[in-house]
Amino acid sequence: MSDYFRKNIAALAGYVPGEQPRDNKIIKLNTNENPYPPSPQVIAALRKASNRSLRLYPEPLAESLRVVAANVYGVRPENILAGNGSDEILSIIMRSFVGPEDRVAFPVPTYSLYDTLVDIQQGERITVDYPADFAVPETLASQNAALTFLCNPNSPSGTLVSLQDVERLARAVAGILVVDEAYVDFAESEGASTLPLIRHLGNLIVLRTFSKSFSLAGMRIGLAFASEEIISGMMKVKDSYNLNRLSLVAATAALSDMPWMARNIRRIQRSRKVLSAGLRKMGFYVYPSHANFVMARKKEQNLKDVYERLKSKKILVRYFDIPGLQDSLRITVGRPQEVQALLKEMKALGNHPMA
Ligand SMILES: Cc1ncc(COP(=O)(O)O)c(C=O)c1O
């Protein structure tokens, strides 16, 4: 494996070389995958579609998927673009709206890919620190940015800002507001999504992924919702066949079995409560999470050792070796038994303080 891969691509994807879950004993709580499998309807549809038709190209504009998604989300197919994961859509957005020196603003800490993509486009990165409670920073709207990103719920904090605050931000920014809702299905209460606002706000793009709530990270499917004008512009930028035939089939089948997804969300929400309570009992500050992960903080204590020691016990969590986050761990909500195993190990570490 090349050094370049190790240092750059692997870090970006949260991939730990040599530590993929080939070994069943690894408890993988570092990249916010769903611990439950996708709907049986998805598996059946994939089996059925794995046939001679794979010699044909997929639908270039994902028309069938967009029709089904439009129905589920109460918009028109013209308001939707399908991408190879929401990461690809983020890249399409960046290529559509940002040229050299264009300003791109986002609050930090947040999803690290925004940073990387601005660099690739040679845009000007404007970061605004989140306040302690992870509310929308007051100065975010006034940055005169071509693009503003808001991850809601945010990663790594798991915190959610209200619909009213997002709407206020969308109305106040100079350019486009992208709301990355990768985790919104896990929000504590329904109605957290900004998606219905695309009808009234011509500068709003809302992103969803099938990687988290639909348990389909391996299939790479994301959706962007926006005005017809924005979507048609982004269509010109995307690759011709950006989603393969099987991903299109999987996404369509997943949308046809919403109760499966809703059931898994309820299970994860229950485990999230157990995980958060267990960590708080150990003296961590745990941010109120609306995602399938929690951020646990021990103010001004570097948690690298905790991360390393968990890793040595085959439990992978996310440690960010960057200033301001070294006292935090981001932990994906796993199955109940995985949550228990993690809590048990962390408790054991607490009883044997680190050198
Ligand atoms: C905030 C956020 N946006 C987007 C993504 C990418 O999702 P996808 O798997 O659809 O590319 C992730 C993945 O972890 C994420 O955390």
Side-chain angles (χ1 to χ4, degrees):
M1 195 178 293
S2 75
D3 276 357
Y4 179 82
F5 180 85
R6 265 184 203 288
K7 285 196 194 118
N8 298 286
I9 304 187
L12 228 185
Y15 176 97
V16 184
E19 288 185 357
Q20 287 303 285
R22 261 175 255 121
D23 177 351
N24 276 337
K25 288 193 203 117
I26 288 179
I27 297 180
K28 191 173 179 303
L29 306 177
N30 61 343
T31 53
N32 302 339
E33 286 135 335
N34 195 311
Y36 301 108
S39 158
Q41 290 186 31
V42 171
I43 309 292
L46 285 172
R47 288 219 167 92
K48 195 164 162 226
S50 299
N51 59 35
R52 293 153 58 128
S53 71
L54 291 178
R55 73 188 177 81
L56 300 170
Y57 281 110
E59 283 179 303
L61 302 179
E63 288 92 342
S64 313
L65 169 61
R66 288 163 65 215
V67 166
V68 173
N71 203 17
V72 168
Y73 292 105
V75 297
R76 297 189 314 130
E78 293 80 4
N79 298 122
I80 304 176
L81 175 137
N84 196 278
S86 47
D87 279 353
E88 191 212 13
I89 301 179
L90 286 166
S91 162
I92 292 169
I93 290 171
M94 211 63 89
R95 284 184 278 138
S96 302
F97 296 104
V98 180
E101 288 165 42
D102 281 341
R103 291 164 72 87
V104 180
F106 47 90
V108 287
T110 193
Y111 186 42
S112 57
L113 187 64
Y114 309 152
D115 216 74
T116 310
L117 292 174
V118 180
D119 280 356
I120 292 170
Q121 287 307 108
Q122 297 175 311
E124 187 186 343
R125 175 193 319 120
I126 315 284
T127 58
V128 182
D129 286 340
Y130 267 115
D133 63 355
F134 282 89
V136 177
E138 272 173 27
T139 56
L140 181 62
S142 53
Q143 298 303 325
N144 203 18
L147 263 186
T148 302
F149 284 95
L150 184 75
C151 186
N152 198 38
N154 186 45
S155 176
S157 59
T159 48
L160 181 80
V161 300
S162 72
L163 205 56
Q164 292 77 5
D165 286 353
V166 181
E167 180 167 3
R168 204 171 307 133
L169 180 65
R171 291 190 188 279
V173 292
I176 302 271
L177 175 68
V178 181
V179 184
D180 183 346
E181 295 191 347
Y183 300 101
V184 80
D185 289 329
F186 300 100
E188 204 46 57
S189 51
E190 280 174 30
S193 174
T194 319
L195 210 158
L197 298 182
I198 62 157
R199 258 182 249 127
H200 315 293
L201 296 170
N203 67 334
L204 177 67
I205 304 177
V206 178
L207 299 186
R208 294 291 189 85
T209 177
F210 284 65
S211 298
K212 314 294 178 182
S213 53
F214 288 104
S215 312
L216 285 171
M219 293 304 293
R220 315 302 305 125
I221 310 144
L223 296 176
F225 297 85
S227 69
E228 192 173 336
E229 204 183 340
I230 288 180
I231 294 294
S232 64
M234 284 164 56
M235 286 285 188
K236 293 182 192 142
V237 174
K238 79 171 191 68
D239 286 349
S240 308
Y241 303 110
N242 59 328
L243 272 158
N244 68 66
R245 292 181 79 91
L246 295 181
S247 296
L248 290 169
V249 163
T252 309
L255 289 173
S256 312
D257 190 4
M258 297 298 274
W260 178 273
M261 182 265 254
R263 180 166 151 262
N264 288 338
I265 292 214
R266 286 192 297 274
R267 290 156 110 182
I268 289 168
Q269 286 170 332
R270 279 197 295 274
S271 295
R272 181 171 70 198
K273 278 203 181 98
V274 174
L275 175 61
S276 303
L279 291 165
R280 284 188 185 119
K281 236 172 148 181
M282 283 178 232
F284 285 92
Y285 179 78
V286 182
Y287 288 83
S289 172
H290 293 264
N292 67 337
F293 58 85
V294 302
M295 183 157 100
R297 183 165 234 160
K298 271 256 167 93
K299 211 107 183 99
E300 291 174 18
Q301 186 175 321
N302 195 321
L303 298 182
K304 189 165 191 175
D305 279 356
V306 178
Y307 156 77
E308 293 286 0
R309 300 222 345 218
L310 286 171
K311 197 162 108 179
S312 74
K313 301 283 179 188
K314 298 194 172 183
I315 299 178
L316 305 181
V317 299
R318 190 74 199 267
Y319 168 75
F320 300 89
D321 205 354
I322 48 177
L325 282 180
Q326 285 148 330
D327 59 359
S328 302
L329 293 176
R330 193 193 68 189
I331 306 170
T332 305
V333 180
R335 290 168 181 267
Q337 59 271 36
E338 293 176 320
V339 168
Q340 288 309 327
L342 172 99
L343 290 173
K344 192 171 153 218
E345 282 305 336
M346 292 203 50
K347 221 185 235 162
L349 292 184
N351 293 337
H352 300 92
M354 285 143 287

